[in-house]
Amino acid sequence: MSFQARERDPRPVRRVVVTGVSAITPLGQDIDSTWSALIKGESGIGPISLFDASDFSVRIAGEVADWDLSGRFEKREAKHLDRCTQFGLAAALDAIADSGFKIDETNAGRVGVLFGSGIGGIQTLCSQVLVLDKRGPSRISPFLIPMMIPNIISGEVAIRTGAKGPNTCVVTACAASAHSIGEAVETIRRGAADVMIAGGAEAAVAELGIGGFSAMKALSTRNDAPEHASRPFDVDRDGFVAAEGAAGLVLEERDMAKSRGARIYGEIVGYGASGDAHHITAPDPEGDGAARAMSEAIRDAGATVEQVDYINAHGTSTPFNDRIETLAIKRAFGEAADKVAVSSTKSMTGHMLGAAGAVEAVICLKVLETGTLPPTINLENPDPDCDLDYVPNEARQAGVELAISNSFGFGGHNACLAIARA
């Protein structure tokens, strides 16, 4: 018997709003402290304290200082959660609390989870490699695998909250949590869920993380001036600064959010994704993939480039990324590129890898709420190839109705989110 697909009933477009947010960053363990530091132009970069980095060529990073587990996890429970999972689970729970949304048996099947991470539990991997080397295979922890795998964040969130809807994970390097938000939006749009808990987490300030990126010559070696090491679009940039953190967003079908009287931070109106198909680490030299992701997000939003008021750039402070992202913006925006404000908040937070996209989406929501553009700090000698308006060194007030956030990952993974003011 042959199969013939039925015609789908035309469905009204399901709009997706943000009703809860959280952030855990090197600038603070909540969105308010992070935002306050950002608009003041403060740096969260300092000497590495999470391990002895004295023999490493890179000895600086963006760490979440004084990470406080009290009130979040029982001590025994925390021992079986990698630092990355701790960040992700805490960010998800904070965002849910902020949203005021209650998960119960009547709605659990319509609530999903989609968290991303670029690397996952690398600190656990580092510690267990040492156990294997010094004490043998019989002493490897039975918790190694669930502590290490990136998808365990989504699993833990569901276990803790009772969310029984679509539950998955995105691992696309530095684009992971931007893809997570975009795919969570699509899940609600197509009617598979009404609420999605989305975001990302990373805790890769570990021996293998810093050592691996150092071996690639990807990191800044400005060890004597850590607060000046992340300098996107500056001619003297010499690499990114690794950082850790997490962010969570509660995404909700708009009519449902309005009917329960939820606070609405903004609306995710567009999502674009593309692949470079070029190189395992280097971006397409013409910026084609990044430009297409931006164009698709703007098209998906039903907007024009002239309507975009602000771009939160991927802006990693590497020689390749900043020049090529500038080119990509010019390709996507044409003559409007000179008129749009662009800034890289990684100049202050460092690069949180798989968590960066979610943190920067939350930052865009604060931009839309306050009309304040966070600066790109350390932009002292602009690269002639990077000649857009990067909001150098000081925050700026501006009317912002539509913002986009760029995230690009190793392997040629590109994601762009378009976010509109509530």
Side-chain angles (χ1 to χ4, degrees):
M1 183 177 180
S2 63
F3 170 78
Q4 185 173 357
R6 65 175 176 83
E7 290 292 328
R8 289 185 178 272
D9 295 330
R11 297 177 182 177
V13 174
R14 287 165 57 91
R15 296 170 63 177
V16 182
V17 297
V18 182
T19 58
V21 295
S22 68
I24 298 167
T25 77
L27 297 172
Q29 295 183 28
D30 56 64
I31 185 56
D32 290 339
S33 56
T34 295
W35 179 249
S36 176
L38 284 171
I39 61 176
K40 292 175 184 175
E42 296 177 356
S43 172
I45 311 304
I48 291 173
S49 65
L50 290 170
F51 66 92
D52 181 3
S54 57
D55 291 336
F56 285 67
S57 60
V58 174
R59 299 183 292 278
I60 57 174
E63 296 181 347
V64 175
D66 303 318
W67 174 232
D68 185 10
L69 297 177
S70 62
R72 293 187 181 275
F73 310 107
E74 296 291 337
K75 189 173 182 180
R76 182 176 179 181
E77 178 188 23
K79 284 179 61 178
H80 299 150
L81 299 173
D82 185 86
R83 186 174 172 95
C84 179
T85 306
Q86 291 176 14
F87 287 161
L89 180 54
L93 296 176
D94 287 351
I96 296 167
D98 183 56
S99 76
F101 184 81
K102 304 299 182 185
I103 302 172
D104 58 36
E105 61 182 15
T106 68
N107 60 27
R110 300 291 298 169
V111 181
V113 186
L114 214 170
F115 254 70
S117 180
I119 296 176
I122 194 171
Q123 293 193 8
T124 296
L125 179 62
C126 287
S127 66
Q128 290 300 301
V129 166
L130 292 176
V131 169
L132 172 64
D133 183 54
K134 294 181 179 180
R135 303 173 67 185
S138 66
R139 302 310 297 269
I140 293 173
S141 170
F143 292 96
L144 165 60
I145 300 303
M147 289 178 71
M148 180 183 71
I149 52 180
N151 64 292
I152 206 67
I153 302 171
S154 294
E156 289 281 3
V157 172
I159 292 166
R160 181 67 71 96
T161 64
K164 295 182 178 180
N167 189 297
T168 187
C169 168
V170 175
V171 182
T172 48
C174 304
S177 57
H179 277 130
S180 294
I181 295 167
E183 295 302 325
V185 168
E186 293 298 329
T187 301
I188 296 173
R189 282 179 170 179
R190 71 174 183 263
D194 296 321
V195 177
M196 292 293 292
I197 306 159
E202 205 76 86
V205 182
E207 293 92 330
L208 284 174
I210 299 299
F213 283 122
S214 297
M216 295 172 62
K217 308 297 183 185
L219 299 179
S220 171
T221 57
R222 204 179 288 258
N223 296 307
D224 296 332
E227 67 277 11
H228 299 295
S230 185
R231 44 197 318 110
F233 309 110
D234 189 272
V235 73
D236 296 319
R237 66 192 185 277
D238 68 329
F240 75 85
V241 178
E244 60 178 5
L249 297 87
V250 174
L251 306 174
E252 197 167 340
E253 194 276 323
R254 190 184 71 151
D255 290 343
M256 192 177 86
K258 291 175 70 175
S259 68
R260 71 177 185 89
R263 174 181 178 177
I264 295 176
Y265 287 93
E267 181 176 357
I268 311 295
V269 291
Y271 169 48
S274 69
D276 282 353
H278 171 69
H279 190 269
I280 57 171
T281 57
D284 183 311
E286 300 300 321
D288 172 67
R292 285 187 289 108
M294 283 183 266
S295 296
E296 176 59 21
I298 296 166
R299 185 207 63 77
D300 188 39
T304 65
V305 291
E306 290 80 10
Q307 291 174 294
V308 178
D309 302 303
Y310 171 68
I311 301 173
N312 188 289
H314 188 53
T316 58
S317 185
T318 62
F320 278 134
N321 175 89
D322 297 359
R323 177 176 57 81
I324 293 171
E325 185 171 12
T326 299
L327 177 61
I329 292 170
K330 291 178 178 180
R331 287 187 65 152
F333 279 72
E335 293 182 357
D338 292 333
K339 301 178 180 66
V340 65
V342 183
S343 69
S344 172
T345 46
K346 289 184 180 74
S347 61
M348 295 169 278
T349 65
H351 191 351
M352 286 174 276
L353 308 175
V359 171
E360 289 157 12
V362 171
I363 290 169
C364 284
L365 289 164
K366 292 298 292 184
V367 169
L368 291 159
E369 176 190 349
T370 64
T372 303
L373 307 181
T376 304
I377 69 168
N378 300 321
L379 184 47
E380 297 164 354
N381 299 298
D383 185 334
D385 290 331
C386 301
D387 55 356
L388 300 177
D389 175 10
Y390 302 113
V391 193
N393 300 310
E394 292 186 1
R396 179 191 306 166
Q397 289 299 122
V400 182
E401 297 289 332
L402 180 64
I404 67 171
S405 181
N406 287 338
S407 298
F408 313 134
F410 282 175
H413 305 289
N414 307 303
C416 181
L417 299 169
I419 308 171
R421 193 160 69 90

